[in-house]
Amino acid sequence: MFLGVDGGGTKTAFCLVDRGGQVVARAQAASSYYFSHGIELVERVLGEGVDAVCAAAELSPADIEYAFFGLPGYGEAARDLPVLNATPRAVLGHDRYACDNDMVCGWAGSLGAVDGINVISGTGSMTYGERQGRGVRVGGWSEMFGDEGSAHWIAVRGLNAFSRMADGRIPEGPLAKVFRRHLDLASDLDVIDVVHNQWQGDRGRIAALSRSVAEAAGLGDEAASAILAEAGRELALLVDVTRERLEFGPDETVPVSYSGGTFGADPVLEAFATGLKSRFTHYELRHPLYEPVVGAALYAAKIAGTPLDQPALDALRMASGITAPGGENR
């Protein structure tokens, strides 16, 4: 029995997968992104999730052969690593686990843990790729000055476009009406109260506004469409730099996949695919094989030295087919 844990900016997902490729149980808990709420949050969220998934499977943590915890923010504050690495021990009661950034979950799920590159675009954005046993991360520098192409990045640019429309600095398009309705604004300036006062700048709630930008683009808003297209191009750039850093050869096929809710917006995925083709001719864009939390369980089995065999992988693929592009992550 292998436990996969995929932490994110809006939720933390848990699943148990057996050797036969069956998802035995699932659970969900709150975000484990601790930078805004303190590192103590991680143990609380992991404890709730592990208890829930084990209860659903009618098992105890001792029955888990190995677990992989993909944690948002892991590796981004070196002083926190000892605490993060030790936290699952208190939850599981044993040392049969490993921790890394949640980017690994997206890569392992989308590509089945084979050499290649996965780009994550959910609340934040980054890439993770592996080639011949070496891993490289690009992006993920936080919503303050990075995370290009992410839901938060799209939302902030959508808010900027809304403010410009409200002032008359750019022509008003459907985006203005969508934002007014979604945020229930009595006046346009009330958006400041909503985002800064009521939401206290919460990254998850702001990122969710990316769906309003996508809705406006679907209604023909030129500013919204331009934001989504730029997001796709930024994500393609992340992949291209990752390819160079992994030293893929000029004639080597590079498998690429994606995960995260931002790819649910077709214009983002289309611009991403076009951006890849314009940068390198040997990219092979693949639809995600498994969702990130399942990828975490696969990676747990691989780290344990007992990777699932092909029949089990086929069974898992049939049982946990992805119904939306990439699922929701980070």
Side-chain angles (χ1 to χ4, degrees):
M1 195 69 63
F2 302 102
L3 172 65
V5 180
D6 175 41
T10 54
K11 65 180 175 60
T12 303
F14 300 75
C15 81
L16 285 166
V17 174
D18 67 19
R19 288 184 177 277
Q22 298 299 313
V23 176
V24 178
R26 293 175 178 266
Q28 185 172 306
S31 168
S32 46
Y33 185 77
Y34 68 93
F35 280 4
S36 302
H37 304 285
I39 200 167
E40 299 81 9
L41 170 76
V42 179
E43 182 172 345
R44 183 168 67 252
V45 170
L46 296 186
E48 291 173 359
V50 169
D51 286 348
V53 77
C54 286
E58 298 183 346
L59 298 170
S60 74
D63 297 314
I64 297 170
E65 183 172 339
Y66 209 87
F68 177 73
F69 294 83
L71 304 174
Y74 184 96
E76 296 167 10
R79 67 180 182 278
D80 292 341
L81 288 178
V83 174
L84 294 176
N85 287 328
T87 294
R89 183 179 302 113
V91 173
L92 295 173
H94 60 74
D95 292 321
R96 298 188 302 276
Y97 68 85
C99 298
D100 207 323
N101 194 280
D102 60 301
M103 65 187 179
V104 177
C105 304
W107 164 79
S110 291
L111 290 174
V114 301
D115 281 2
I117 301 166
N118 183 67
V119 59
I120 304 165
S121 181
T123 305
S125 68
M126 66 174 70
T127 56
Y128 179 74
E130 286 196 7
R131 179 176 180 269
Q132 299 178 0
R134 186 168 72 92
V136 164
R137 161 186 170 159
V138 174
W141 291 94
S142 85
E143 68 275 11
M144 182 74 72
F145 50 87
D147 285 352
E148 294 85 355
S150 69
H152 193 281
W153 185 92
I154 289 169
V156 168
R157 276 148 188 79
L159 287 165
N160 177 261
F162 172 77
S163 71
R164 289 171 176 267
M165 290 178 185
D167 282 344
R169 286 180 282 163
I170 61 174
E172 182 168 312
L175 178 72
K177 183 179 291 185
V178 170
F179 268 49
R180 289 174 187 134
R181 184 187 72 247
H182 179 76
L183 298 174
D184 193 24
L185 301 178
S187 74
D188 289 345
L189 282 172
D190 279 353
V191 71
I192 300 172
D193 173 55
V194 171
V195 173
H196 289 289
N197 183 32
Q198 298 179 36
W199 292 358
Q200 293 291 299
D202 182 85
R203 68 194 294 264
R205 297 183 78 170
I206 293 171
L209 289 176
S210 64
R211 291 192 285 270
S212 295
V213 178
E215 180 184 346
L219 295 171
D221 190 287
E222 293 182 2
S225 296
I227 291 168
L228 297 181
E230 187 181 358
R233 291 191 294 269
E234 288 284 357
L235 296 171
L237 174 59
L238 289 174
V239 170
D240 207 47
V241 172
T242 308
R243 172 185 62 83
E244 292 175 349
R245 290 184 56 190
L246 284 169
E247 300 179 337
F248 279 96
D251 298 319
E252 193 172 353
T253 297
V254 182
V256 175
S257 195
Y258 50 91
S259 54
T262 303
F263 287 104
D266 289 339
V268 174
L269 184 55
E270 291 167 5
F272 173 65
T274 300
L276 288 179
K277 290 178 182 178
S278 70
R279 291 181 173 277
F280 184 67
T281 58
H282 295 296
Y283 283 126
E284 183 180 279
L285 185 58
R286 300 179 180 180
H287 187 77
L289 289 172
Y290 311 99
E291 59 193 296
V293 68
V294 173
L298 289 178
Y299 199 57
K302 182 177 181 177
I303 295 173
T306 54
L308 269 62
D309 59 21
Q310 194 58 51
L313 291 173
D314 292 342
L316 185 60
R317 177 67 178 146
M318 293 181 63
S320 62
I322 297 174
T323 57
E328 198 287 328
N329 189 44
R330 186 177 160 76

